[in-house]
Amino acid sequence: MTRVLAAGLLVGSLLLLVCAALHPVLPLTGPADLALIAAMPHWRLIHLGLLYGTWLIIAGVWARWLSASEAERAGLGVGFVVLGLGQALNGVNIAYMTAAGTEFAAWFQQGRAVALLYQATHAAAVAAGRLGGFLVAIAAAVIVATTAPTAVESRWRVGLAWLAAGAGLAGNLFAPPGHPLMLASIGVLAIWQVTVAVPLVWRR
């Protein structure tokens, strides 16, 4: 089970990183966003990758808990519950852009007056994503507090979790709504997740 979950964590984290790299920075105005979405034939595919990657992460991160020492299990359990909630909230934002964003862009291209409706409803999805990024940053801080005192986790991996917590909180609190830095915690922690998953998948 540990190996299966770790494989899911690895695939999900890589999916998230690749799809995030392919995702353009939106102008964050209704008409400009919809014009950009309509011009991207792979928009929905990118967001399906983000969506499935998110859910693989929520399940797969528990591979680290199954492989944890007794001293780590309570803290990591709390951290991974918070992480799952944060990822799920960001998943609301992703799901909005997968479905509603794609539909609004198609209608906008047909000349329908949907830009204001899109902008208002997208703002709610972005707020859910912002809360998700905040919770993931908190989860990263819990992971650091749990793993730093033990000899189990590599120091550089603890440093990655520190970066996800610190840079994630700064980006989440100060980046404009919808800016990629708002979700820095999710991106940096995805790198940590890859480093966790690889040895668990290929261990003997």
Side-chain angles (χ1 to χ4, degrees):
M1 179 57 71
T2 301
R3 185 168 289 159
V4 170
L5 289 174
L9 180 63
L10 179 59
V11 172
S13 300
L14 290 175
L15 258 178
L16 189 143
L17 288 168
V18 170
C19 291
L22 294 172
H23 194 293
V25 177
L26 292 171
L28 301 177
T29 64
D33 280 11
L34 293 176
L36 179 58
I37 294 168
M40 285 189 65
H42 302 304
W43 175 266
R44 189 168 183 273
L45 190 60
I46 288 170
H47 284 79
L48 283 173
L50 290 170
L51 198 62
Y52 289 124
T54 295
W55 290 108
L56 284 169
I57 289 166
I58 291 170
V61 75
W62 290 93
R64 177 63 179 85
W65 185 85
L66 289 173
S67 66
S69 66
E70 200 60 40
E72 294 176 314
R73 283 205 163 187
L76 287 180
V78 172
F80 292 162
V81 168
V82 176
L83 173 63
L85 289 171
Q87 291 281 2
L89 279 166
N90 188 51
V92 172
N93 187 23
I94 296 167
Y96 175 92
M97 293 308 263
T98 306
T102 305
E103 290 296 322
F104 277 128
W107 293 341
F108 180 77
Q109 209 172 25
Q110 294 166 11
R112 300 191 193 182
V114 294
L116 285 177
L117 179 59
Y118 158 82
Q119 191 159 339
T121 53
H122 182 221
V126 166
R130 180 162 228 145
L131 178 55
F134 177 77
L135 289 177
V136 171
I138 296 300
V142 174
I143 291 167
V144 170
T146 303
T147 58
T150 73
V152 177
E153 195 85 332
S154 305
R155 294 303 94 188
W156 61 269
R157 195 177 288 155
V158 174
L160 268 177
W162 261 123
L163 185 61
L169 277 175
N172 191 266
L173 293 173
F174 299 112
H179 192 278
L181 286 176
M182 188 184 82
L183 302 174
S185 58
I186 294 174
V188 177
L189 202 63
I191 300 171
W192 176 86
Q193 290 156 194
V194 170
T195 69
V196 165
V198 167
L200 291 177
V201 170
W202 278 282
R203 73 176 183 177
R204 293 186 180 276

